[in-house]
């Protein structure tokens, strides 16, 4: 997934990948939005649930 605009609804869920194993996935250069009242988001990747965003990206 590259160069997409993603909007989380009331579930706060932006990405869900429930598969136990994923190979060669790339998530780059996307824009993420939350609804006006939301302050936190969720991503589910394999068996991990990630909440929120870090302003500083890894490697920066």
């Amino acid at each position: 997934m590259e160069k997409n605009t993603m909007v989380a609804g009331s579930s706060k869920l932006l990405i869900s990948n429930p598969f136990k194993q994923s190979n060669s996935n790339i998530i780059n250069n996307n824009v993420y939005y939350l609804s006006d009242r939301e302050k936190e988001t969720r991503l589910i990747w394999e068996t991990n649930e990630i909440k929120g965003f870090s302003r500083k990206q890894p490697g920066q």
Side-chain angles (χ1 to χ4, degrees), residues 4-17:
N4 296 289
T5 300
M6 294 183 230
V7 180
S10 60
S11 69
K12 303 180 194 175
L13 186 61
L14 282 170
I15 298 173
S16 177
N17 174 26

Side-chain angles (χ1 to χ4, degrees), residues 5-56:
T5 300
M6 294 183 230
V7 180
S10 60
S11 69
K12 303 180 194 175
L13 186 61
L14 282 170
I15 298 173
S16 177
N17 174 26
F19 301 102
K20 301 265 189 236
Q21 184 177 8
S22 302
N23 294 319
S24 303
N25 293 292
I26 298 172
I27 301 174
N28 281 335
N29 302 313
N30 296 296
V31 177
Y32 304 95
Y33 289 97
L34 298 172
S35 64
D36 289 338
R37 288 176 246 149
E38 301 301 333
K39 304 245 188 284
E40 187 174 72
T41 189
R42 298 170 42 230
L43 295 94
I44 298 172
W45 196 262
E46 296 176 357
T47 59
N48 300 305
E49 182 170 346
I50 302 162
K51 293 183 179 181
F53 285 114
S54 170
R55 289 191 181 269
K56 184 175 179 183

